[in-house]
Amino acid sequence: MSEDVPFESGRRLMIELQLRRRGIQDERVLEAMFRVPRHEFVPSAYVNAAYEDRPLPIGESETISQPYIVAVMTQASRVEAGDRALENGAGAGYQAAVLAYLGAKVNTVERNTKLAQAARERLKRLGYENVEVITGDGSEGYAPAAPYQVILVTAAAPRVPETLLDQLAEAGRLVIPVGDLHHQTLFVITRRGNEFSQEALDPCQFVPLIGKHGWPES
Ligand code: SAH
């Protein structure tokens, strides 16, 4: 893709300096984030900042996550080709595209109708066929396609929603930021039968998960 060339060096620097140097070791994740054109997922005013080390505004007061956080979540999910994956908080659709690049069948839920429609159109235009964008409250999960090997919540939750644990497949992984409105910790929760083990990853700052099992709409 010739229009991609100006962005290649930025993307390579992102991989080396922001991801590999900070401990992202899964070569598949690094490859996916090298291949998925993040500049296609940000508003035109931010195209030149697409590979910088920060979240960026995507309209509707929402943001696309910092590349490092996308990499941490994807690596922690241990996603494999053929996995069913659920994302809550489609936003621009970037995280969903990374999961799809890795061969997952992705259902991604977005509560904001405008963002959902834009993400749906963008992912289609860019050729990500194994992603379905659903408009709704992802804090309840998405029962029609459950169970999932991977669930990612890309908005801050006050606690782990029980319904998401119920929708995890055997040995499935839920990656979720839990905390207050300003500071959270990223957790990865793994299912073994009806037991769930939990590991804390990085501190993080996400926009709030608003819905039945998230924060109330104010
Ligand atoms: N993963 C996205 C960025 C997520 S930003 C990307 O790669 O671009 C968080 C998103 O979660 C916002 O778009 C917000 O509207 C959405 N959101 C918040 N609460 C939600 C809920 N209960 N269900 C679905 N989406 C929600």
Side-chain angles (χ1 to χ4, degrees):
M1 266 195 293
S2 57
E3 69 270 25
D4 215 35
V5 171
F7 297 101
E8 240 191 72
S9 60
R11 206 145 61 212
R12 201 172 290 284
L13 285 173
M14 171 186 88
I15 300 295
E16 295 306 323
L17 303 181
Q18 299 171 36
L19 308 187
R20 202 189 292 277
R21 198 173 279 188
R22 285 196 201 133
I24 304 298
Q25 293 166 333
D26 188 331
E27 290 296 333
R28 296 171 318 130
V29 174
L30 295 167
E31 171 72 12
M33 290 188 62
F34 184 67
R35 295 290 170 201
V36 177
R38 186 171 159 94
H39 61 276
E40 297 277 6
F41 292 82
V42 301
S44 52
Y46 291 101
V47 159
N48 290 323
Y51 298 100
E52 289 179 5
D53 186 20
R54 57 184 174 120
L56 292 170
I58 54 170
E60 305 289 304
S61 309
E62 301 297 350
T63 55
I64 178 173
S65 307
Q66 178 193 15
Y68 173 71
I69 290 292
V70 175
V72 168
M73 294 185 81
T74 310
Q75 180 169 271
S77 78
R78 306 193 297 278
V79 64
E80 299 277 352
D83 279 358
R84 245 177 212 296
L86 172 68
E87 180 192 20
N88 298 314
Y94 177 71
Q95 172 74 74
V98 171
L99 292 171
Y101 183 90
L102 289 166
K105 290 178 281 219
V106 186
N107 287 99
T108 181
V109 188
E110 173 54 56
R111 71 186 287 273
N112 182 294
T113 314
K114 273 196 203 160
L115 291 176
Q117 187 53 25
R120 196 174 286 126
E121 284 168 15
R122 178 180 300 115
L123 289 161
K124 186 162 186 237
R125 174 169 59 78
L126 296 173
Y128 294 95
E129 279 168 7
N130 44 349
V131 184
E132 191 190 344
V133 181
I134 297 126
T135 309
D137 178 6
S139 75
E140 300 192 76
Y142 182 64
Y148 302 96
Q149 280 76 35
V150 167
I151 301 180
L152 299 189
V153 179
T154 59
R159 67 194 77 81
V160 178
E162 194 91 17
T163 47
L164 298 186
L165 297 176
D166 290 342
Q167 290 178 21
L168 269 184
E170 173 58 23
R173 289 81 58 196
L174 164 64
V175 187
I176 182 169
V178 182
D180 62 29
L181 285 169
H182 305 289
H183 303 278
Q184 307 94 35
T185 304
L186 205 51
F187 288 93
V188 56
I189 297 166
T190 306
R191 178 172 204 158
R192 300 270 172 222
N194 283 328
E195 305 281 309
F196 297 87
S197 61
Q198 167 176 312
E199 184 193 343
L201 307 170
D202 294 46
C204 54
Q205 281 181 297
F206 278 84
V207 296
L209 180 76
I210 296 168
K212 187 167 172 204
H213 301 288
W215 302 93
E217 196 160 6
S218 57

